[in-house]
């Protein structure tokens, strides 16, 4: 039998597939590691560390869910999964904003009434980030957005160019609002 040699193009595709699987495993296993750290250290950590672990875990989980939605859309043929290129940067950003929020929490110690508003806005922020990551690079063809664009009389391609920046802008405003609630006495 003759041995078949792999072409350079197939080697590149194999490397891309392994890289994508590695990144997805990091996305899926990172929140699990933070959850385990939280539950193992829950009794022996202070409120600031607990806040960091919760916020970081929620941030990574939010990014993971958004990217998994985007991957499922890519598998159904709706887009080409542009998130695979920027996933490590997005995860570093999620952990960085967790550090900023923890610093604000430790420095300003918001009251219980502020914390309830912060947690409520955090859930809305998580949903907005999931939506932002999901629609990033999305085509909107054969989706509810296509129906919405037809009902208001614009092309769905124009709507897709509008939805992503609006969703990202909304997430930014929510994050700034949460940070402002942290520092307001």
């Amino acid at each position: 039998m003759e041995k078949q040699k792999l072409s350079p193009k197939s080697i590149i595709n194999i490397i891309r597939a392994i890289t994508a699987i590695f990144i997805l495993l990091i996305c899926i296993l990172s929140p699990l590691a933070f959850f385990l750290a939280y539950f193992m250290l829950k009794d022996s950590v202070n409120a600031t560390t607990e806040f960091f672990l919760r916020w970081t875990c929620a941030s990574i989980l939010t990014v993971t869910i958004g990217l998994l939605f985007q991957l499922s859309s890519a598998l159904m043929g709706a887009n080409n999964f542009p998130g695979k290129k920027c996933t490590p940067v997005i995860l570093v950003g999620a952990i960085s904003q967790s550090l900023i929020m923890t610093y604000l929490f430790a420095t300003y110690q918001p009251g219980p009434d502020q914390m309830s508003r912060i947690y409520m806005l955090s859930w809305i922020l998580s949903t907005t980030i999931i939506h932002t990551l999901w629609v990033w690079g999305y085509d909107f063809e054969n989706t509810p957005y296509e129906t919405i664009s037809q009902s208001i009389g614009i092309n769905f391609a124009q709507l897709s160019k509008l939805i992503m920046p609006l969703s990202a802008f909304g997430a930014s405003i929510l994050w700034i609002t949460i940070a402002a609630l942290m520092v307001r006495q």
Side-chain angles (χ1 to χ4, degrees):
M1 283 191 162
E2 289 183 38
K3 290 185 177 179
Q4 290 183 330
K5 290 188 176 182
L6 292 174
S7 68
K9 191 172 189 172
S10 63
I11 291 173
I12 290 173
N13 287 337
I14 291 171
I15 291 172
R16 283 183 182 169
I18 290 171
T19 304
I21 289 170
F22 181 71
I23 288 173
L24 283 173
L25 282 175
I26 288 174
C27 286
I28 292 168
L29 295 178
S30 295
L32 184 62
F34 275 102
F35 274 132
L36 288 174
Y38 170 70
F39 287 115
M40 286 173 38
L41 302 172
K42 186 169 80 170
D43 297 331
S44 63
V45 298
N46 60 17
T48 304
T49 308
E50 181 180 350
F51 182 84
F52 171 74
L53 288 172
R54 282 184 179 181
W55 193 276
T56 304
C57 189
S59 299
I60 293 174
L61 198 59
T62 298
V63 169
T64 303
I65 291 170
L67 291 174
L68 288 176
F69 278 164
Q70 193 181 84
L71 177 65
S72 67
S73 297
L75 292 175
M76 292 188 308
N79 68 8
N80 62 358
F81 192 53
K84 67 183 175 187
K85 297 175 186 172
C86 299
T87 301
V89 175
I90 293 170
L91 288 172
V92 167
I95 293 171
S96 299
Q97 64 93 22
S98 297
L99 287 171
I100 293 168
M101 293 307 268
T102 303
Y103 170 76
L104 293 175
F105 175 78
T107 305
Y108 295 100
Q109 291 293 320
D113 60 329
Q114 288 173 314
M115 285 307 291
S116 64
R117 284 186 258 154
I118 288 169
Y119 282 129
M120 182 203 51
L121 287 173
S122 299
W123 282 105
I124 297 169
L125 176 65
S126 295
T127 306
T128 307
I129 290 173
I130 288 171
H131 182 264
T132 302
L133 291 172
W134 178 43
V135 300
W136 180 24
Y138 203 78
D139 192 343
F140 292 133
E141 194 170 9
N142 300 322
T143 65
Y145 286 115
E146 183 179 18
T147 309
I148 293 169
S149 67
Q150 289 172 352
S151 68
I152 57 177
I154 34 178
N155 186 359
F156 70 88
Q158 292 173 334
L159 182 67
S160 67
K161 290 179 183 174
L162 181 67
I163 292 290
M164 167 57 188
L166 281 176
S167 188
F169 180 71
S172 301
I173 294 298
L174 278 168
W175 192 86
I176 290 169
T177 303
I178 292 170
L181 278 174
M182 289 275 201
V183 294
R184 194 173 73 184
Q185 294 294 329

